[in-house]
């Protein structure tokens, strides 16, 4: 029996996210594991008031962009023979959402990029990857 049967990769389309996805695809191929590719829309990072008339249109645009990103990532994995499924979640905190999805799916491994699409980066890890490493109760691979 394989030690790794289900993998979750957090994917945001950044350079680090692309590297994390490549690692996830290769590991999934090696273990013949199912790959879940997760994109999180962080409502808490939207710079307009939730009661604004622009809010629903902005969320819709972010969902369309997220679905497109996930669909391309899933196709990339499937073209390499990986059983992949895309997931789009909305939450107030990307790291917490990644951890919750990992627990709900009972994955064996979480893979994240070291830095995502953020303005200022941390010295060693991005804030999302750092929080996932700190609080997840699953093994986490951080790809630089």
């Amino acid at each position: 029996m394989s030690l790794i049967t289900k993998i979750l990769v957090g994917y945001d389309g950044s350079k680090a996210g692309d590297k994390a996805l490549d690692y996830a695809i290769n590991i999934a191929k090696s273990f013949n594991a199912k790959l879940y590719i997760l994109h999180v829309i962080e409502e808490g990072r939207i710079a307009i008031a939730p009661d604004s008339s622009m809010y629903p249109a902005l969320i819709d645009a972010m969902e369309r962009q997220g679905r497109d990103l996930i669909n391309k990532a899933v196709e990339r994995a499937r073209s390499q023979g990986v059983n992949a499924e895309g997931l789009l979640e909305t939450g107030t905190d990307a790291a917490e959402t990644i951890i919750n999805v990992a627990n709900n799916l009972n994955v064996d491994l979480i893979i994240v990029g070291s830095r995502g699409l953020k303005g200022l980066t941390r010295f060693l890890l991005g804030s999302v990857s750092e929080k996932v490493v700190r609080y997840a109760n699953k093994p986490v691979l951080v790809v630089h």
Side-chain angles (χ1 to χ4, degrees):
M1 184 168 119
S2 177
L3 290 174
I4 299 175
T5 60
K6 293 189 278 185
I7 300 168
L8 176 68
V9 60
Y11 185 64
D12 62 3
S14 67
K15 187 179 255 188
D18 283 333
K19 286 182 180 180
L21 179 60
D22 289 340
Y23 267 84
I25 289 169
N26 287 326
I27 292 170
K29 281 192 323 193
S30 296
F31 286 91
N32 196 27
K34 173 134 187 194
L35 178 60
Y36 296 95
I37 303 169
L38 172 65
H39 179 74
V40 179
I41 298 170
E42 281 188 291
E43 287 183 314
R45 303 228 182 253
I46 298 173
I48 61 173
D51 60 347
S52 168
S53 62
M54 293 177 55
Y55 188 78
L58 181 58
I59 290 293
D60 286 344
M62 292 172 76
E63 286 177 354
R64 280 193 306 276
Q65 181 182 15
R67 274 192 296 278
D68 185 52
L69 195 67
I70 290 301
N71 289 339
K72 288 177 182 173
V74 167
E75 180 53 38
R76 188 163 143 193
R78 288 180 179 167
S79 72
Q80 296 183 49
V82 172
N83 178 9
E85 181 179 331
L87 305 169
L88 181 65
E89 296 286 333
T90 302
T92 56
D93 183 281
E96 287 179 14
T97 303
I98 290 168
I99 292 166
N100 288 338
V101 169
N103 288 334
N104 290 339
L105 294 172
N106 195 28
V107 301
D108 304 301
L109 177 64
I110 302 168
I111 300 176
V112 292
S114 60
R115 291 184 178 86
L117 298 172
K118 302 283 187 227
L120 295 173
T121 56
R122 306 275 302 242
F123 287 107
L124 298 175
L125 296 176
S127 59
V128 172
S129 55
E130 179 185 18
K131 193 170 183 180
V132 172
V133 167
R134 186 175 301 232
Y135 296 108
N137 60 357
K138 311 272 183 192
V140 179
L141 171 63
V142 179
V143 180
H144 291 279

